Amino acid sequence: MAADEAAHTPDAVTVNVTVTEFAIESSLTTFEAGTPYHFVLTNSGALPHELMLMQPMAAGMMTMEEMDELAIAVVEEDDLPGGGTAEFDVTFEQAFGEGELEFSCHLPGHYEGGMTLPVIVE
C-alpha cells in the first residue's frame, strides 16, 4: 500500500521523521492503533532516500515491488531527493509489537548501513 498523499485529517497527530546518511530519526516511535498520524518526512542528507513503513525484511528476500505491496506506507526515492520533504498519512489498523514493524530505507546498501528504526503500535 502506498502512502496516502491526500489532505491529512485535521485531528491527526503530526510525526516528524528525518533521514540522513545513514540514519532515521522520528519524533515518535510508539503509536496507537486507530489514531490518525500525519508524517512529515525530511531528507537532511545529500543522497536520495526512500522510507518504508513495514515489517523488518532482510535485503534480497523479495523484490522491491513485493516489498511495496506489503508496506503500510512507501515514499519512493524520486519523491525524497537530498534536501527534499514529503508527507503522508497513516492510521494503523492493528497493533504491532516490538520487532514487528520499522521505518526503513531499502536502497542498495542503505538498510545494511543502518537505515532502520523500530516502531511499536499499541
Side-chain angles (χ1 to χ4, degrees):
M1 163 190 321
D4 178 5
E5 296 180 8
H8 71 276
T9 306
D11 60 345
V13 175
T14 298
V15 180
N16 295 301
V17 179
T18 303
V19 297
T20 60
E21 288 84 31
F22 285 87
I24 300 172
E25 297 178 359
S26 178
S27 60
L28 291 176
T29 56
T30 300
F31 304 95
E32 292 184 28
T35 298
Y37 293 93
H38 179 71
F39 291 86
V40 179
L41 179 58
T42 302
N43 182 351
S44 293
L47 299 174
H49 293 289
E50 69 176 7
L51 186 78
M52 300 183 85
L53 180 56
M54 64 181 298
Q55 295 174 334
M57 189 74 51
M61 289 186 65
M62 60 180 54
T63 67
M64 287 302 294
E65 290 80 16
E66 291 170 324
M67 291 173 66
D68 286 351
E69 288 178 23
L70 292 176
I72 293 170
V74 177
V75 176
E76 301 288 347
E77 68 182 299
D78 291 343
D79 297 325
L80 197 58
T85 60
E87 298 182 16
F88 62 94
D89 292 332
V90 170
T91 300
F92 297 98
E93 297 175 3
Q94 68 183 56
F96 291 90
E98 188 173 335
E100 294 183 331
L101 196 63
E102 67 184 6
F103 290 119
S104 55
C105 178
H106 286 274
L107 296 179
H110 292 210
Y111 190 82
E112 299 80 5
M115 289 199 72
T116 178
L117 180 66
V119 298
I120 295 172
V121 179
E122 299 176 332

